[in-house]
Amino acid sequence: MEQRGGSPQLLRRINDRAALLALLDRGPLTRLELESHIGLSKPATADLLLRLEESGHVRRAGLREGGKGPRAQRWAVNGALAYVAAVDLTPRTLDIAVSDICGEIVAEHRYRPVDEADLEVDDLCRAVSVAAAEVGLTTGQLHRVVVGVPGSVDARTGHLHFAPHLPPWQGFDVLERLSGSLDTSVAVENDVNLVALDEMAVGQAVGVDDFVLIWMGRGIGAAVVSGGRLLRGSSGGAGEIDWMPCPSTGVTGGRRIGDVLGTRAVMELAHAHGLPGDDLEKLLAEDLGTDPVARSAFLRDLARRVALAVAGVVSVVDPALVVLTGDIGRAGGSVLCGLVTEELAELVLPRPKIQPSLLTGNPVRSGALRLALAAAREEVFTVIPTP
């Protein structure tokens, strides 16, 4: 990373940032290991580590064990340099994680009102405060908070759209209210977009620049990634396929995609095919000793509905990959994906690969944490004071 020309301070910042990112990516490193990763000379790397230790950006992380000769000192990013919070907000639940800048989760908190009331801004702020307090922090000491919501915030007004299921969050600047109440920097992102970020990092879409993610389960939605970037649209509503008009499917009252792919509609479809029980995920994922002909017909009809939703997106953006996720998408697995592939071939010209998501845990919260960490690292690692 050593370069000729340019401001010495600028080159120092570039090298410092490269070193910090290498330590984040590879874990604790010795000076020699860091030197080989970032391409600096021995004296320059030693000076860099001294500077970053004095500024509090790195810490000593024990000695390298094994090998011949003296044990070498290892260095790591100081996790306490900054903390962030990620929130998955649904109409009646909050799932919160607080992480240090290295990405290690140091506190978690789940909240659900005992009276099943709709969650409001004050509920979220109190819950984040509780999570932060577990590690001795106030919300104002969090460097960044990212909230995933089943809706979209209009960047021009800060108002939440496409979220009639969140009535207490309507009619005001959500970003301004949250930032003011939490006394820190806040971002609000569509929940399905956050799942797509997680899919890009550790899921089926690793290394894929153009893909579509279809969420089916707790609501219906899509995320579109083109050229490695999320498409949000002018008002933040890109991917809101729940409201997309639905061609005739033989379902009474099915006027939009959300009418035929919601959990209730899919359960009704299963019952119409004579499949018993109320656990939709089991009906999708397991045979359960049911009539194989009836189950096959149910999956085929469901695949036809999913293909209609997929067709409306892929015919415009032509992705290389479509990932099916949410409770329905994950439970349907590769069997449902194969049937959707066949149905889609009858509807549109693009032939994307269709695969089920492999993500586990809460991908909304995980994606929010990735977004919060990226923002915090961009700020903290860019401005490093000179001792």
Side-chain angles (χ1 to χ4, degrees):
M1 287 280 178
E2 291 181 292
Q3 304 176 40
R4 295 182 179 180
S7 162
Q9 285 190 332
L10 174 61
L11 296 182
R12 186 181 298 124
R13 286 199 298 269
I14 292 173
N15 290 332
D16 290 348
R17 179 178 172 80
L20 290 166
L21 293 176
L23 290 171
L24 276 178
D25 183 51
R26 300 176 182 275
L29 299 173
T30 65
R31 178 195 54 76
L32 184 61
E33 291 168 334
L34 182 61
E35 180 183 317
S36 67
H37 284 307
I38 62 178
L40 287 177
S41 64
K42 178 178 179 179
T45 305
D47 179 66
L48 175 150
L49 285 171
L50 177 61
R51 183 170 63 251
L52 292 179
E53 184 182 26
E54 290 181 350
S55 67
H57 283 70
V58 302
R59 59 177 178 81
R60 296 172 187 254
L63 301 176
R64 171 72 71 194
E65 301 292 340
K68 298 179 180 180
R71 294 180 296 171
Q73 178 67 57
R74 297 189 306 168
W75 302 85
V77 173
N78 178 12
L81 197 60
Y83 293 89
V84 300
V87 183
D88 176 21
L89 165 69
T90 69
R92 292 184 177 83
T93 60
L94 288 164
D95 188 358
I96 303 167
V98 176
S99 159
D100 67 18
I101 201 165
C102 294
E104 181 179 353
I105 294 177
V106 295
E108 296 179 281
H109 180 60
R110 288 183 61 85
Y111 174 73
R112 186 182 186 96
V114 292
D115 56 0
E116 296 295 311
D118 289 335
L119 290 167
E120 301 186 13
V121 171
D122 288 345
D123 294 312
L124 184 148
C125 294
R126 281 194 296 269
V128 174
S129 180
V130 169
E134 289 186 19
V135 284
L137 300 172
T138 66
T139 58
Q141 291 173 306
L142 296 171
H143 200 87
R144 184 82 161 179
V145 176
V146 174
V147 182
V149 298
S152 301
V153 170
D154 189 332
R156 299 166 298 186
T157 64
H159 286 217
L160 186 64
H161 297 317
F162 306 101
H165 43 288
L166 291 172
W169 294 75
Q170 307 297 320
F172 59 89
D173 188 325
V174 174
L175 290 174
E176 182 179 52
R177 180 81 63 85
L178 286 174
S179 298
S181 298
L182 293 171
D183 192 29
T184 191
S185 175
V186 177
V188 179
E189 180 62 86
N190 174 261
D191 54 358
V192 182
N193 283 347
L194 293 172
V195 177
L197 292 179
D198 210 35
E199 202 72 54
M200 293 171 71
V202 294
Q204 295 279 22
V206 172
V208 181
D209 288 337
D210 299 276
F211 76 96
V212 170
L213 181 137
I214 305 291
W215 175 283
M216 300 172 291
R218 189 186 70 190
I220 309 299
V224 179
V225 173
S226 179
R229 297 174 64 89
L230 274 170
L231 297 183
R232 293 180 173 85
S234 62
S235 66
E240 293 290 352
I241 62 170
D242 186 308
W243 305 83
M244 191 166 67
C246 181
S248 174
T249 60
V251 179
T252 302
R255 298 183 299 276
R256 56 185 180 88
I257 292 296
D259 291 333
V260 298
L261 276 182
T263 302
R264 179 180 298 178
V266 176
M267 182 61 76
E268 290 175 352
L269 179 65
H271 291 165
H273 282 282
L275 301 182
D278 296 318
D279 190 329
L280 183 56
E281 290 186 55
K282 285 187 176 181
L283 285 174
L284 286 164
E286 304 174 21
D287 193 333
L288 298 176
T290 57
D291 181 352
V293 175
R295 186 168 185 274
S296 176
F298 160 62
L299 290 174
R300 175 64 68 179
D301 280 353
L302 176 59
R304 192 169 297 116
R305 296 183 182 192
V306 177
L308 287 171
V310 173
V313 183
V314 304
S315 60
V316 177
V317 299
D318 188 21
L321 170 69
V322 173
V323 178
L324 302 185
T325 188
D327 296 339
I328 294 173
R330 287 194 301 268
S334 57
V335 173
L336 179 61
C337 287
L339 293 172
V340 173
T341 299
E342 295 175 11
E343 294 294 332
L344 190 65
E346 302 295 323
L347 299 174
V348 293
L349 289 177
R351 296 291 185 270
K353 183 183 296 184
I354 301 179
Q355 296 179 326
S357 174
L358 301 178
L359 299 179
T360 58
N362 184 339
V364 175
R365 195 186 76 172
S366 181
L369 189 58
R370 293 184 190 283
L371 202 58
L373 287 169
R377 291 168 181 172
E378 181 66 27
E379 296 174 11
V380 174
F381 292 173
T382 298
V383 182
I384 299 174
T386 300

